[in-house]
Amino acid sequence: MGQVDGEIAIITGAGSGIGRACALVLAREGAAIMATDIDDEGLRVTERLVTDAGGRIITAHQDVTDESMWEAIFSQTENAFGTPSVLVNNAGIAIAGAITDFTLDDWRKQMSVNVDSVFLGTRAAMRYMGSKGGSIVNISSVAGLRGAAGASAYCTSKGAVRLFSKAAAVECAQMGTGIRVNSVHPGIIDTPMVASILGMFDGDDMAERLTPMKRPGTPEEIAYGCLYLGSDEASYCNGTILTIDGGTTARQ
Ligand code: NAD
């Protein structure tokens, strides 16, 4: 019996990195998966990997900033598998740059993809899950716990995800919905996103310098945290910050 047998999980940004790992791990543990992304080719790869491993998956093209698409994603999932019970708000981007050089357009884009999406997804999940309960897992970052030079917009967006998750957790509990909302805070994880950021900072050895464990994490190491929060084993976790960072934030 899998850890999330019978669960129905929507995972955004599932065409790459952490989102793809979440799709694979949750499917392996019994969940039916709706994987969404703007990257259709990436989604096809994820779909094949999950199917080859014997998992159940459907995919949909979704821009997480588009309010009108959220309803369609939930209803498509419901038609295919039943009422969604897990949402992993994972899709995100990182726009680096000094504050003095940063444009308002880039600032708004950063907030739109990383923060608006989490609000829209959480709202849709609360409406769909209703009183049936469920688990919303919002992917924040260690950058949502502390500052980093050249990453003010990203840090702001991930800090917002952290506090939004806590506010939603309290609201869901007070409404008696049975929906839990938690945030996951990865450190440096070996994905295409981090490869581009490390390139900007000219720091291939950045993970080694910044991480007490002296290595980047793997996408699967984040997916296992999402698996736990999506499962009944996490039934008393609400508004929790789950940091998975090789000890990075343990050191000041
Ligand atoms: P990634 O670039 O490998 O994957 C992100 C996915 O999101 C891509 O498939 C991309 O197409 C998708 N995406 C981007 N904009 C989208 C949009 N508007 N609508 C739908 N999909 C969109 O990156 P990743 O490292 O796997 O990042 C996943 C999440 O983890 C992000 O929220 C990121 O901020 C967070 N995170 C990553 C790290 C890291 O070190 N990799 C650390 C902390 C937090």
Side-chain angles (χ1 to χ4, degrees), residues 194-206:
V194 89
S196 69
I197 295 172
L198 293 183
M200 276 182 232
F201 287 100
D202 189 26
D204 276 351
D205 65 342
M206 195 168 161

Side-chain angles (χ1 to χ4, degrees), residues 18-244:
I18 292 169
R20 174 177 291 158
C22 285
L24 276 160
V25 166
L26 269 74
R28 197 190 306 142
E29 290 296 323
I33 307 294
M34 161 60 99
T36 82
D37 206 300
I38 48 172
D39 175 1
D40 296 325
E41 181 50 40
L43 275 182
R44 271 193 286 279
V45 174
T46 302
E47 184 175 27
R48 183 170 43 74
L49 290 169
V50 169
T51 306
D52 287 353
R56 287 189 301 157
I57 183 169
I58 57 171
T59 65
H61 183 96
Q62 180 196 20
D63 180 342
V64 288
T65 68
D66 183 346
E67 181 174 13
S68 67
M69 290 196 70
W70 276 100
E71 172 82 11
I73 294 300
F74 271 78
S75 93
Q76 242 178 286
T77 310
E78 180 145 53
N79 290 340
F81 300 125
T83 308
S85 54
V86 176
L87 169 65
V88 184
N89 276 315
N90 164 76
I93 56 172
I95 307 177
I99 296 169
T100 45
D101 299 333
F102 219 76
T103 65
L104 185 56
D105 277 352
D106 277 349
W107 178 270
R108 286 184 173 145
K109 185 172 183 196
Q110 182 68 89
M111 300 310 151
S112 176
V113 177
N114 287 13
V115 186
D116 294 1
S117 62
V118 172
F119 155 65
L120 292 172
T122 301
R123 188 180 67 178
M126 286 170 68
R127 287 176 178 169
Y128 258 82
M129 290 171 185
S131 55
K132 289 188 192 135
S135 170
I136 301 171
V137 182
N138 294 327
I139 306 297
S140 178
S141 169
V142 294
L145 297 168
R146 61 187 205 177
S152 61
Y154 186 70
C155 289
T156 304
S157 73
K158 291 302 186 179
V161 170
R162 171 172 58 89
L163 265 190
F164 174 78
S165 303
K166 286 183 178 289
V170 174
E171 194 164 316
C172 284
Q174 281 188 357
M175 287 165 62
T177 60
I179 300 170
R180 299 176 291 101
V181 188
N182 296 287
S183 57
V184 172
H185 298 256
I188 296 175
I189 309 302
D190 192 4
T191 71
M193 174 190 282
V194 89
S196 69
I197 295 172
L198 293 183
M200 276 182 232
F201 287 100
D202 189 26
D204 276 351
D205 65 342
M206 195 168 161
E208 206 165 303
R209 282 188 286 114
L210 295 182
T211 308
M213 287 177 71
K214 295 195 183 306
R215 66 167 177 87
T218 66
E220 290 71 25
E221 287 173 315
I222 306 306
Y224 284 118
C226 298
L227 172 67
Y228 167 65
L229 291 173
S231 74
D232 286 345
E233 277 84 355
S235 52
Y236 204 50
C237 281
N238 199 22
T240 294
I241 289 173
L242 177 55
T243 304
I244 308 176

